[in-house]
Amino acid sequence: MNQDAIVAALIADKLVSDPAGARGRLLREAARLFRQKGYERTTVRDLATSVGLHSGSVFHHFRTKEDILKAVMVETIRRNTALLQAAVDAAGSDRARLRALVKAELEFINGQSGEAMAVLVFEWRSLSAAARAEVLVLQDGYEQLWLTTLRALHVAGVIRVEPRLARRLLTGALSWTVTWYRPEGAVTLDGLTDQVLALVAPPV
């Protein structure tokens, strides 16, 4: 199943919003504004104006501004977890699975979901404790896909770093690429993926 089909299935199951619909457009703009201005400095009026709505119309889709922030995070995790799972399922070995994980996450960070992923990192504390707990459950599912593969490679002696520490190091390194990586530059995404693997899991 290709990426479009995976996302279409999530939309059909009402797990993520249709990006062409009013709710989907609002969440996309919310991610952009929360990333650029910060959650606290972004007003409901800002959000409404960005998609051509009256301020009151925003509350037809969400009860509060925090609900918008939570939805940005929840839908991003659901979408990316489904895409990550598909990438892992299509790989034939643990090393191939690690490559699929690295490439997929680089695509998330440097692609359409990049702003939403940055919001996940930088606006985490803006959520209430109850909302954070809900998002954390979903995030754990995403992280388990990484940890399962990293543990298998650690047991095989391919990766010497403890799996959870390896994942934290990878999270920081991959996330930081948004500040310097340029898709139109000399290094392709596949090339960057191979360089990451050469550092983390060099061929024996």
Side-chain angles (χ1 to χ4, degrees), residues 4-5 12 19 22 30 37 44 54 68 73 77 79 87 90 108 112 128 139 156 159 162 168 170 179 204:
D4 289 343
K37 299 179 63 173
V44 171
H54 296 295
I68 298 173
M73 295 182 176
I77 297 170
R79 175 186 177 278
F108 299 156
Q112 290 183 350
S128 65
Q139 186 68 13
I159 292 177
E162 191 277 325
R168 288 184 179 182
L170 278 166
T179 66
V204 226

Side-chain angles (χ1 to χ4, degrees), residues 69-111:
L69 176 63
K70 186 177 81 169
V72 167
M73 295 182 176
V74 165
E75 293 200 11
T76 299
I77 297 170
R78 283 176 177 166
R79 175 186 177 278
N80 289 355
T81 300
L83 294 174
L84 204 65
Q85 182 71 67
V88 167
D89 290 345
S93 67
D94 288 324
R95 186 183 289 277
R97 279 187 277 277
L98 179 59
R99 189 182 193 285
L101 289 165
V102 170
K103 184 177 179 184
E105 190 153 291
L106 284 171
E107 289 174 340
F108 299 156
I109 290 165
N110 295 283

Side-chain angles (χ1 to χ4, degrees), residues 27-123:
L27 290 178
R28 186 172 62 250
E29 286 301 302
R32 182 181 65 81
L33 289 169
F34 292 159
R35 179 70 182 109
Q36 289 180 358
K37 299 179 63 173
Y39 172 73
E40 294 298 338
R41 291 190 299 278
T42 300
T43 66
V44 171
R45 182 183 296 276
D46 292 333
L47 295 169
T49 301
S50 70
V51 290
L53 295 175
H54 296 295
S55 294
S57 301
V58 172
F59 298 111
H60 172 72
H61 302 283
F62 300 96
R63 290 179 306 157
T64 65
K65 190 174 81 164
E66 187 197 13
D67 283 345
I68 298 173
L69 176 63
K70 186 177 81 169
V72 167
M73 295 182 176
V74 165
E75 293 200 11
T76 299
I77 297 170
R78 283 176 177 166
R79 175 186 177 278
N80 289 355
T81 300
L83 294 174
L84 204 65
Q85 182 71 67
V88 167
D89 290 345
S93 67
D94 288 324
R95 186 183 289 277
R97 279 187 277 277
L98 179 59
R99 189 182 193 285
L101 289 165
V102 170
K103 184 177 179 184
E105 190 153 291
L106 284 171
E107 289 174 340
F108 299 156
I109 290 165
N110 295 283
Q112 290 183 350
S113 66
E115 288 170 331
M117 289 192 74
V119 169
L120 264 166
V121 173
F122 295 110
E123 297 296 347

Side-chain angles (χ1 to χ4, degrees), residues 146-165:
W146 276 93
L147 290 172
T148 299
T149 295
L150 290 170
R151 284 171 183 147
L153 289 169
H154 186 254
V155 168
V158 177
I159 292 177
R160 296 184 179 181
V161 181
E162 191 277 325
R164 286 191 178 275
L165 180 55

Side-chain angles (χ1 to χ4, degrees), residues 1-12 83:
M1 187 181 293
N2 64 31
Q3 291 194 3
D4 289 343
I6 291 168
V7 174
L10 292 172
I11 293 170
L83 294 174

